[in-house]
């Protein structure tokens, strides 16, 4: 029987350049025997509404054709249902796809993965702020990295990893460490000035920054990384290690694992999967095995 695939599209992925890949990908899926429908909303809220309505009709999969932001939206629609999530990563950052073993940089290979329809359960995480509740699949961040994300989202040049590097350099000029209170499973409390706090269901964000290098999306736990009050010079020395995950060996960096995490800090933006959720405080909880993914 031909699988019914709903292809959720972000027309703005890679500044709109990813759309030229859409027709070849749809053609490849149909040649593989799939019945493909395309969903594109006028904006995030409209796209989410359309995705939820589509999931209610029980397609064989909802496939996100975009980057981590679109995957974030799709996760809201399919988590807790029996409709699996497929990913064809054509965005600026494709960290969720990379963590799940989906081919990145080769949309046709990703399409072949979708056609195989081999699914596995993975965890997601629930984040609650004063602005509401959302699920996330990769990393939630507060502090410097959230401000970098905010700045990177405003930049139109360069693309990919270089955009985040530029945002880091620009943000360093004004950023100061923030007093954080981090509560782990309601028991251990960390109180310190920190450059950033990251809560990872998977290991990377920002197009390959392995901020939580040992995080796994199927262990029922969240990895928590707290980077202490590093000076600018020391931060610049440590920062390149985030691409290899070696920054966690620095004495100012603390790593913990927990099922529930509460982050308290005044006025810090909160981002997850590259999307702004609101501002702190924020509570995160692992939701084991609730998302079915094609990988």
């Amino acid at each position: 029987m031909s699988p019914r695939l709903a292809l959720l599209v972000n027309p703005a992925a890679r500044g709109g350049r990813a759309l030229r890949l859409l027709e070849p990908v749809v053609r490849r899926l149909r040649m593989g025997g799939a019945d493909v429908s395309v969903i594109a909303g006028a904006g995030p809220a409209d796209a989410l509404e359309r995705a939820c309505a589509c999931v209610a009709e029980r397609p064989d999969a909802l496939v996100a054709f975009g980057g981590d932001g679109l995957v974030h939206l799709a996760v809201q629609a399919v988590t807790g249902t029996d409709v699996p999530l497929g990913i064809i990563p054509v965005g600026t950052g494709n960290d969720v796809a990379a963590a799940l073993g989906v081919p990145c940089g080769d949309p046709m290979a990703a399409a072949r993965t979708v056609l195989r329809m081999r699914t596995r359960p993975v965890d997601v995480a629930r984040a609650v702020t004063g602005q509401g509740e959302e699920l996330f699949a990769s990393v939630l961040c507060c502090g410097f990295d959230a401000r970098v994300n905010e700045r990177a989202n405003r930049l139109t040049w360069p693309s990919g990893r270089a955009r985040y590097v530029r945002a880091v350099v620009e943000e360093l000029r004004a950023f100061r460490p923030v007093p954080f209170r981090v509560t782990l499973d309601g028991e251990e409390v960390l109180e310190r000035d920190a450059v950033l706090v990251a809560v990872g269901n998977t290991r990377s964000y920002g197009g390959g920054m392995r901020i939580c290098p040992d995080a796994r999306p199927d262990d029922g736990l969240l990895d928590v990384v707290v980077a202490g009050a590093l000076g600018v010079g020391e931060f610049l020395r440590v920062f390149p290690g985030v691409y290899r995950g070696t920054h966690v060996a620095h004495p100012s960096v603390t790593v913990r694992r927990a099922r529930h995490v509460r982050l308290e800090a005044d006025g810090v933006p909160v981002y997850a999967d590259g999307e702004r959720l609101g501002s702190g405080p924020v509570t995160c909880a692992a939701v084991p095995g609730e998302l079915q993914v094609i990988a």
Side-chain angles (χ1 to χ4, degrees), residues 146-160:
R147 294 190 188 280
V148 166
N149 212 322
E150 200 156 64
R151 183 179 292 271
N153 285 346
R154 296 195 298 267
L155 296 175
T156 58
W157 179 91
S159 61

Side-chain angles (χ1 to χ4, degrees), residues 3-281:
R4 291 189 305 115
L5 304 179
L7 195 64
L8 182 63
V9 174
N10 177 10
R14 288 185 183 171
R17 296 187 300 278
L19 274 184
R20 70 177 184 270
L21 301 170
L22 178 59
E23 184 178 344
V25 165
V26 170
R27 188 185 313 122
R28 177 66 185 87
L29 293 171
R30 287 175 175 160
M31 286 176 59
D35 178 4
V36 182
S37 59
V38 176
I39 306 168
D46 183 47
L48 178 58
E49 183 176 345
R50 289 170 182 262
C52 290
C54 176
V55 168
E57 295 177 359
R58 301 172 63 85
D60 292 305
L62 179 68
V63 182
F65 179 89
D68 287 339
L70 192 68
V71 171
H72 176 83
L73 190 152
V75 163
Q76 316 306 311
V78 300
T79 297
T81 75
D82 59 359
V83 176
L85 171 66
I87 306 173
I88 297 179
V90 293
T92 301
N94 300 303
D95 292 281
V96 179
L100 299 176
V102 176
C104 295
D106 188 344
M108 295 305 168
R112 290 193 296 271
T113 297
V114 169
L115 287 169
R116 284 194 287 269
M117 293 295 293
R118 295 172 183 166
T119 64
R120 59 178 280 211
V122 298
D123 308 337
V124 292
R126 179 174 288 107
V128 181
T129 69
Q131 291 73 43
E133 176 181 311
E134 287 190 47
L135 301 169
F136 66 94
S138 61
V139 180
L140 177 143
C141 56
C142 295
F144 178 77
D145 48 354
R147 294 190 188 280
V148 166
N149 212 322
E150 200 156 64
R151 183 179 292 271
N153 285 346
R154 296 195 298 267
L155 296 175
T156 58
W157 179 91
S159 61
R161 178 183 294 185
R163 178 183 298 177
Y164 289 91
V165 174
R166 176 185 169 186
V168 165
V169 173
E170 293 182 357
E171 191 61 37
L172 272 174
R173 298 171 184 165
F175 188 80
R176 297 293 180 271
V178 174
F180 274 95
R181 178 182 174 90
V182 182
T183 305
L184 306 167
D185 287 332
E187 298 175 354
E188 183 179 7
V189 177
L190 307 174
E191 291 188 279
R192 65 191 61 177
D193 288 354
V195 174
L196 63 87
V197 179
V199 180
N201 181 53
T202 58
R203 68 184 182 181
S204 69
Y205 60 8
M209 296 182 185
R210 299 183 181 185
I211 187 67
C212 302
D214 297 318
R216 292 174 46 194
D218 57 2
D219 63 358
L221 297 170
L222 300 171
D223 281 34
V224 183
V225 174
V226 181
L230 300 170
V232 172
E234 185 68 2
F235 180 85
L236 288 173
R237 189 182 72 81
V238 173
F239 171 73
V242 77
Y243 288 103
R244 302 182 302 278
T246 57
H247 62 289
V248 295
H250 192 278
S252 293
V253 177
T254 300
V255 181
R256 295 286 189 273
R257 283 197 175 101
R259 289 180 173 82
H260 300 271
V261 183
R262 180 167 174 80
L263 309 179
E264 297 173 83
D266 291 332
V268 296
V270 177
Y271 273 74
D273 299 338
E275 300 298 301
R276 199 181 204 281
L277 303 192
S279 57

